[in-house]
């Protein structure tokens, strides 16, 4: 019982039953508390919370690895219950709770916690969001890398100390064949201090250690050339390296980690952010929870849903769907700001050096490890040297005995006791006691003539090995080369590529950079903010002949020069805006309302729109069975429509406002819409091109505009068995308009005969009246009886295969009724070159 009186005194009082005397000792509470707290603090610091700078392990981790090695739980053997390992460690080496032992064991098995796991776990060892199963349900054994931490323990490479009850011994430190503290990092909270060290790449750290071994006077800048920054198990991006440099110099610093997120087209109408890497020790469920909280609190905007598609096979995949009309890059910036998708890691390199806690920088950590490894290899070499010398001593004695083996046998047989035989052998042959005892224990089968030859070979080999070991102990250079070579082997065997990307500053994509440059500054001294919602900027909506649909980020003129994209033949180009609406006309005469905002944005390639970044039209627009998308058109203009059976119509834009699709032409049986283009003015020409190579052009004034339910009127007079293969709208005064025709045989298999092609100026074809037969546009050669393909429009024309691969066309010539030039490859699509200049008016550009 303690009292608060300052003076100490002892009082004696009789017990109640008179059998004993009770002593009460008065002590100073302040002194007692100070002493007890210091003892507790020292115990926590030295025996529990802080790692040793040499092997990078806390005592519990070291005891787990040593006990598993002692139990023989190697990678080539089966797993055992984790509870068994915990019980062995707790009962023999670690007198603390089983929960602490199992927690440390679990962390060494988690590939998202350690850069190079030391335990091979079997079962549920937890995730970033969930804890592990109980130790009775999981199994474990040492990982291959852990063998290098514990190897050569039986060769006196480290000191052994008594366990907690002085009945067993345990290593004071493990040999650690690689710099575990830097590679795997650590975290711990002691009394009055804490440690938090980041993982690094094994190959980089070993390269720095080898450089330090070869150059003991190396500076921090020298080793940082090999270790530019941490390499986190979960990857991600580190933004800003100033804090890392501070940590490497002083042992303290911080850096920001960011998730790896890419903008992807999730569906034809939906864009999203796909997260494949998160900051260190941040789980997807935590991110999802914070996103939901931020959305509910109105801090985050533009997010419609978050889906976790993570699995064991494909790894992390967190899909964040973006609402239409919101800028994905701006939403990503918000996510970095309000969720754990951006996190901070504080480096605090507090570790034990000679039993004392110290804060070390990168160079000092490497120096401590290199010194430890040199000591381990030196002690191992000395141990092996002693073993080799002992064996050589025995071999030399045995060779002496074998030379005169008959006399040796006679001496042994004539001796009354083993001690007498030993003394006689030692005196006669000048042997040591060890050699004499070995000869007495010799087996008869070792007395053959082959045994002598083997012993002589062994003697020679032992002398060579002893010479090598003595050379290593005598030369610091050879010792360092040996340590460096062993480290190189470890790096080659267990090294993996870097996972974490290091960025000196925040990386900004060209799209984001352009948007930030155009943004209005937030104020004096502040950075301009990226607009969250997509602005209603002008753009082009594009449909290619290969069925790709997309929009451009801006409405700059589309140039012909430069590299072409895979899909470089355009069927429709509509001038619109990002928040506008356009129409999609199908072969069945339906028009569907399309939100331009829903269309994927094309990434530019050398200033050109790359249609390979679009989506298939069939995935973007819901089509009926047997229906095909014909064209994209504006909703506010008169359209010219042509059908396969030669019907023509100009339709008024009186479309319903409350419907998503409607009919724009009433078709007859077996008829289908072939082409749709704007035809606002009466001075444009409507052009039909038939399979029998007849071309008819007539003025749009001959076709009065009709309502959307009308069936149109006769456009071209068709012969028996003939039909239309192309309908277009061309300005009558366009000097660049051309007619492209490709002829072939109707009976040939598709793709087997390229046919012949001809490109003719459009003004070579005279205008005729509506509902007439037109003029001949192509003279068939022998074996040709049909037009395989035709196109009329603003030139120069571009040709492609059905997959969008560019094909060559012949040069223009003036004979409208002439024959074609043989093609080297089949052509399945023709369209404009998109070579429009700034001088083109909007109507002409839209029609082209």
């Amino acid at each position: 019982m303690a009292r608060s009186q300052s003076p100490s005194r002892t009082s004696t009082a009789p017990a109640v039953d008179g059998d004993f005397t009770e002593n009460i000792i008065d002590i100073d509470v302040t002194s007692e508390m100070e002493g007890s707290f210091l003892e507790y603090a020292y115990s926590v610091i030295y025996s529990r919370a802080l790692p040793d700078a040499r092997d990078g392990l806390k005592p519990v981790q070291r005891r787990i690895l040593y006990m598993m090695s002692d139990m023989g739980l190697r990678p080539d053997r089966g797993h055992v219950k984790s509870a068994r390992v915990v019980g062995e460690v707790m009962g023999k080496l670690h007198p603390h709770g089983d929960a602490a032992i199992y927690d440390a064991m679990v962390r060494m098995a988690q590939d998202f916690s350690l850069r190079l796991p030391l335990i091979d776990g079997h079962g549920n060892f937890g995730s970033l969001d969930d804890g592990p199963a109980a130790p009775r349900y999981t199994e474990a054994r040492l990982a291959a890398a852990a063998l290098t931490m514990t190897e050569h323990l039986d060769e006196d490479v480290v000191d052994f100390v008594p366990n907690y009850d002085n009945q067993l011994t345990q290593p004071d430190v493990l040999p650690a064949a690689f710099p575990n503290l830097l590679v795997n990092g650590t975290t711990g909270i002691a009394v009055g201090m804490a440690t938090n060290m980041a993982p690094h790449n094994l190959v980089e750290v070993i390269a720095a250690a080898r450089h330090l071994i070869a150059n003991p006077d190396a500076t921090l800048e020298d080793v940082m050339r090999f270790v530019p920054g941490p390499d986190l198990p979960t990857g991600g991006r580190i933004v800003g390296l100033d804090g890392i440099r501070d940590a490497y110099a002083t042992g303290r610093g911080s850096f920001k980690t960011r998730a790896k997120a890419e903008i992807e087209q999730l569906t034809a109408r939906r864009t999203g952010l796909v997260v494949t890497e998160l900051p260190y020790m941040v789980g997807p469920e935590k991110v999802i929870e914070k996103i939901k909280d931020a959305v509910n609190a109105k801090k985050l905007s533009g997010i419609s849903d978050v889906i976790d598609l993570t699995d064991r096979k494909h790894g992390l995949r967190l899909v964040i769907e973006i609402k239409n009309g919101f800028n994905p890059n701006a939403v990503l910036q918000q996510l970095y700001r309000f969720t754990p998708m951006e996190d901070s890691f504080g480096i605090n390199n507090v570790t034990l050096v000679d039993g004392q806690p110290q804060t070390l920088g990168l160079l000092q950590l490497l120096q401590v490890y290199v010194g430890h490894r040199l000591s381990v290899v030196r002690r191992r070499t000395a141990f092996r040297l002693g073993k080799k010398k002992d064996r050589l001593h025995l071999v030399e004695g045995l060779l002496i005995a074998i030379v005169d083996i008959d006399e040796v046998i006679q001496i042994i047989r004539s001796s009354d006791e083993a001690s007498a035989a030993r003394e006689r052998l030692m005196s006669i042959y000048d042997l040591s006691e060890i050699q004499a005892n070995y000869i007495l224990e010799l087996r008869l089968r070792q007395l053959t003539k082959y045994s002598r030859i083997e012993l002589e070979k062994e003697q020679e080999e032992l002398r060579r090995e002893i010479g090598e070991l003595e050379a290593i102990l005598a030369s610091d250079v050879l010792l360092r080369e040996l340590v460096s070579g062993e480290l190189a082997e470890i790096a080659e065997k267990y090294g993996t590529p870097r996972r974490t990307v290091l960025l000196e500053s925040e990386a900004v994509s060209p799209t984001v950079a352009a948007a930030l440059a155009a943004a209005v500054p937030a104020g004096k001294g502040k950075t301009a903010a990226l607009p969250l919602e997509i602005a209603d900027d002008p753009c082009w909506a594009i449909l290619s002949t290969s069925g790709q649909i997309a929009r451009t980020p801006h409405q700059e003129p589309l140039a012909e020069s430069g590299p072409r994209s895979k899909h470089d033949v355009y069927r429709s180009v509509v001038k619109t805006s990002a928040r506008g609406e356009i129409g999609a006309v199908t072969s069945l005469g339906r028009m569907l309302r399309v939100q331009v905002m829903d269309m994927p944005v094309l990434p530019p390639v050398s200033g050109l729109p790359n249609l390979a970044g679009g989506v298939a039209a069939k995935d973007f627009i819901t089509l009926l069975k047997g229906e095909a998308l014909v064209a994209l058109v504006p909703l506010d203009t008169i359209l010219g429509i042509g059908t396969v059976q030669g019907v023509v119509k100009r339709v008024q834009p009186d479309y319903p406002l409350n419907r998503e699709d409607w009919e724009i032409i009433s078709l007859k049986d077996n008829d289908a819409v072939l082409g749709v283009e704007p035809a606002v003015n009466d001075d444009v020409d409507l052009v039909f091109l038939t399979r029998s190579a007849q071309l008819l052009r007539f003025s749009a004034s001959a076709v009065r505009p009709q309502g959307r339910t009308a069936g149109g009127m006769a456009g071209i007079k068709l012969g028996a068995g003939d039909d239309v293969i192309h309908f277009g709208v061309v300005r009558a005064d366009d000097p660049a308009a051309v007619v492209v025709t490709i002829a072939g045989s109707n009976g040939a298999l598709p793709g087997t005969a390229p046919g012949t092609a001809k490109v003719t100026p459009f003004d070579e074809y005279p205008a005729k009246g509506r509902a007439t037969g037109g003029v001949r546009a192509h003279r068939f050669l022998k074996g040709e009886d049909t037009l395989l393909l035709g196109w009329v429009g603003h030139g120069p024309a571009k040709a492609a295969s059905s997959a969008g691969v560019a094909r060559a066309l012949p040069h223009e010539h003036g004979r409208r009724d002439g024959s074609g030039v043989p093609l080297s490859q089949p052509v399945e699509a023709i369209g404009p070159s998109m070579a429009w200049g700034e001088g083109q008016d909007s109507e002409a550009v839209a029609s082209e």
Side-chain angles (χ1 to χ4, degrees):
M1 182 176 65
R3 297 179 180 175
S4 60
Q5 291 91 338
S6 296
S8 300
R9 63 177 181 173
T10 302
S11 62
T12 302
V16 176
D17 54 6
D19 293 335
F20 65 91
T21 301
E22 183 183 47
N23 294 328
I24 301 176
I25 301 176
D26 291 336
I27 62 173
D28 184 65
V29 175
T30 302
S31 300
E32 178 68 20
M33 290 296 294
E34 287 178 353
S36 299
F37 183 78
L38 288 176
E39 291 180 4
Y40 165 74
Y42 178 80
S43 174
V44 172
I45 292 171
Y46 182 76
S47 302
R48 298 177 70 176
L50 298 184
D52 193 295
R54 294 170 291 178
D55 62 4
L57 297 173
K58 301 176 186 178
V60 63
Q61 296 171 326
R62 186 179 304 114
R63 291 162 182 167
I64 290 172
L65 295 179
Y66 172 66
M67 184 53 62
M68 293 182 72
S69 176
D70 189 62
M71 294 169 65
L73 303 181
R74 300 171 56 85
D76 55 352
R77 299 181 182 177
H79 296 79
V80 302
K81 285 290 185 181
S82 300
R84 178 182 168 189
V85 177
V86 172
E88 289 287 316
V89 174
M90 182 171 58
K92 294 181 178 180
L93 303 179
H94 197 69
H96 299 283
D98 57 344
I101 299 173
Y102 186 56
D103 287 346
M105 181 178 174
V106 165
R107 186 178 186 276
M108 289 193 290
Q110 294 173 336
D111 57 0
F112 54 83
S113 295
L114 269 63
R115 188 63 177 82
L116 185 63
L118 301 176
I119 290 179
D120 178 14
H122 181 68
N124 178 16
F125 274 78
S127 65
L128 287 167
D129 296 303
D130 297 317
R136 62 182 179 274
Y137 298 122
T138 62
E139 299 177 342
R141 64 184 177 189
L142 288 176
L147 296 181
T148 65
M149 296 288 294
T150 60
E151 64 181 352
H152 310 310
L153 278 173
D154 57 346
E155 294 184 299
D156 192 34
V157 292
V158 295
D159 295 332
F160 275 70
V161 296
N163 70 335
Y164 63 92
D165 59 2
N166 293 321
Q167 294 187 12
L168 301 171
T169 59
Q170 59 185 339
D172 182 53
V173 65
L174 293 185
F178 66 90
N180 177 64
L181 185 59
L182 280 168
V183 172
N184 282 325
T186 189
T187 181
I189 300 176
V191 178
M193 62 185 68
T195 183
N196 196 35
M197 303 182 67
H200 291 76
N201 185 271
L202 175 69
V203 177
E204 296 174 355
V205 173
I206 286 182
R210 295 185 65 197
H211 179 78
L212 186 60
I213 291 172
N215 304 275
D217 297 330
T219 64
L220 176 63
E221 289 72 20
D222 295 334
V223 296
M224 281 188 65
R225 290 191 292 108
F226 302 95
V227 186
D231 186 22
L232 307 175
T234 53
R237 291 178 167 89
I238 293 179
V239 181
L241 305 183
D242 291 339
I244 294 176
R245 296 188 184 97
D246 293 340
Y248 285 170
T250 66
R252 295 178 181 270
S254 64
F255 58 85
K256 289 193 304 181
T257 59
R258 280 187 173 181
K260 180 182 178 181
E262 301 292 340
I263 300 174
E264 293 187 9
Q265 197 71 31
L266 304 179
T267 65
R269 295 176 178 269
R270 182 73 71 181
T271 303
L273 299 170
V274 178
V275 181
T276 54
E277 296 175 4
L278 286 173
Y280 185 46
M281 301 308 292
V282 174
E285 291 187 8
K286 181 179 180 181
V287 173
I288 293 174
E289 180 183 357
K290 293 297 183 181
I291 290 176
K292 291 180 178 179
D293 292 343
V295 170
N296 293 334
K298 308 299 182 182
K299 294 181 179 180
L300 278 177
S301 302
I303 296 176
S304 61
D305 196 9
V306 183
I307 304 172
D308 187 5
L309 301 179
T310 303
D311 57 32
R312 291 176 180 258
K313 182 178 180 180
H314 301 94
L316 176 68
R317 185 174 175 84
L318 193 63
V319 179
I320 304 172
E321 295 186 359
I322 307 299
K323 293 180 179 178
N324 291 333
F326 285 84
N327 190 329
N329 287 295
V331 174
L332 182 58
Q333 287 185 343
Q334 284 192 330
L335 289 170
Y336 285 148
R337 180 181 179 187
F338 295 112
T339 72
M341 284 180 59
E342 178 178 286
D343 200 9
S344 179
F345 188 98
I347 298 177
N348 189 22
N349 296 338
V350 178
T351 182
L352 294 175
V353 181
D354 296 329
Q356 300 296 323
Q358 296 183 20
T359 303
L360 304 180
L362 175 63
L363 182 60
Q364 291 76 27
L365 287 170
L366 288 171
Q367 288 173 338
V368 171
Y369 172 76
V370 168
H372 169 63
R373 195 59 193 166
L374 290 172
S375 173
V376 166
V377 176
R378 185 183 297 109
R379 291 180 61 166
R380 184 189 68 194
T381 304
F383 179 85
R384 291 178 178 177
L385 177 61
K387 288 293 184 179
K388 297 295 181 183
K389 286 183 175 181
D390 292 343
R391 177 60 184 171
L392 179 61
H393 184 61
L394 295 176
V395 170
E396 288 174 343
L398 190 56
L399 284 172
I400 293 173
I402 287 179
V403 171
D404 198 7
I405 191 61
D406 294 334
E407 181 65 23
V408 170
I409 294 174
Q410 181 61 34
I411 293 173
I412 297 174
R413 292 184 63 185
S414 62
S415 300
D416 295 333
E417 295 179 350
S419 59
R422 179 169 53 249
E423 294 296 332
R424 292 175 65 187
L425 288 173
M426 292 171 60
S427 62
I428 295 174
Y429 293 104
D430 194 21
L431 300 175
S432 67
E433 183 178 354
I434 295 176
Q435 289 174 323
N437 285 331
Y438 186 71
I439 292 172
L440 289 174
E441 296 172 356
L442 194 66
R443 295 179 181 180
L444 292 177
R445 67 182 180 185
Q446 295 178 258
L447 301 179
T448 64
K449 63 179 180 180
Y450 297 106
S451 296
R452 180 176 179 179
I453 297 174
E454 292 174 356
L455 286 172
E456 289 175 346
K457 289 182 178 179
E458 184 180 359
Q459 182 186 41
E460 182 180 353
E461 181 68 18
L462 286 170
R463 286 174 177 172
R464 184 188 62 80
E465 292 175 352
I466 288 172
E468 292 176 353
L469 294 173
E470 288 178 340
I472 292 173
L473 291 176
S475 173
D476 184 66
V477 174
L478 291 179
L479 178 65
R480 289 177 175 272
E481 289 179 354
L482 178 59
V483 174
S484 180
E486 292 178 351
L487 285 172
E489 293 177 1
I490 295 292
E492 182 179 359
K493 186 174 182 179
Y494 300 106
T496 56
R498 166 171 281 276
R499 299 176 185 173
T500 301
V501 177
L502 302 176
L503 302 174
E504 187 70 42
S505 58
E506 182 176 350
V508 180
S509 66
T511 304
V512 178
L516 286 173
V520 178
K524 185 177 181 181
K526 298 182 180 179
T527 305
L530 190 64
L532 181 60
E533 295 189 5
I534 297 175
D536 194 21
D537 294 329
C539 64
W540 301 103
I542 301 174
L543 170 66
S544 75
T545 56
S546 56
Q548 298 292 308
I549 191 170
R551 65 180 173 92
T552 61
H554 306 289
Q555 201 181 76
E556 298 175 355
L558 302 174
E560 182 182 12
S561 60
R564 307 301 298 171
S565 65
K566 177 182 178 182
H567 304 281
D568 61 356
V569 176
Y570 299 87
R571 177 175 295 174
S572 300
V573 177
V574 180
K575 185 178 182 180
T576 180
S577 63
R579 291 183 172 271
E581 293 180 340
I582 61 174
V585 180
T586 72
S587 58
L588 297 184
R590 286 198 311 146
M591 177 181 283
L592 297 90
R593 192 186 306 273
V594 176
Q595 303 293 330
V596 178
M597 186 186 304
D598 295 346
M599 301 173 68
V601 181
L602 295 178
V605 177
S606 301
L608 297 172
N610 179 14
L611 272 173
V615 298
K618 61 182 179 60
D619 297 331
F620 186 81
I621 296 174
T622 303
L623 300 174
L624 303 177
K625 184 177 180 180
E627 189 177 31
L629 181 62
V630 175
L632 299 179
V633 295
L635 292 176
D636 57 353
T637 188
I638 297 176
L639 301 177
I641 304 174
T643 73
V644 173
Q645 296 182 0
V647 175
V648 67
K649 177 183 178 181
R650 291 174 71 197
V651 59
Q652 292 279 12
D654 55 346
Y655 309 130
L657 300 178
N658 57 348
R659 292 175 59 182
E660 295 299 319
D661 66 294
W662 54 87
E663 186 182 61
I664 60 171
I665 184 173
S666 179
L667 296 174
K668 298 179 180 179
D669 294 340
N670 300 321
D671 200 4
V673 173
L674 188 66
V676 182
E677 294 186 28
V680 180
N681 300 328
D682 291 343
D683 59 354
V684 297
D685 284 350
L686 307 181
V687 185
F688 283 92
L689 184 60
T690 74
R691 196 168 301 278
S692 62
Q694 292 297 116
L695 185 145
L696 174 63
R697 56 177 289 194
F698 55 88
S699 174
S701 60
V703 182
R704 57 181 177 82
Q706 297 177 301
R708 58 185 178 85
T709 59
M713 59 188 70
I716 184 173
K717 182 179 180 181
L718 298 175
D722 198 9
D723 53 24
V724 178
I725 62 171
H726 176 77
F727 170 81
V729 179
V730 182
R731 283 190 307 168
D733 58 348
D734 183 2
V738 295
V739 177
V740 182
T741 53
I742 299 177
S745 174
N746 192 34
L749 295 175
T752 59
T756 61
K758 180 170 66 72
V759 181
T760 311
F762 179 65
D763 58 13
E764 293 290 329
Y765 296 84
K768 299 290 184 179
R770 181 181 62 82
T772 62
V775 297
R776 184 165 58 183
H778 195 110
R779 181 185 298 275
F780 295 139
L781 298 175
K782 183 178 181 180
E784 296 177 344
D785 56 8
T786 185
L787 283 186
L788 302 176
L789 194 64
W791 180 82
V792 183
H794 182 83
K798 302 293 292 186
S801 67
S802 58
V805 179
R807 296 284 191 254
L809 288 174
H811 296 291
E812 297 180 22
H813 57 86
R815 293 188 55 190
R816 64 173 179 81
D817 60 346
S819 58
V821 177
L823 294 173
S824 59
Q825 293 176 305
V827 173
E828 285 90 11
I830 306 174
S833 64
M834 307 301 292
W836 296 316
E838 294 285 358
Q840 296 287 93
D841 58 37
S842 60
E843 178 187 341
V845 170
S847 68
E848 293 162 355

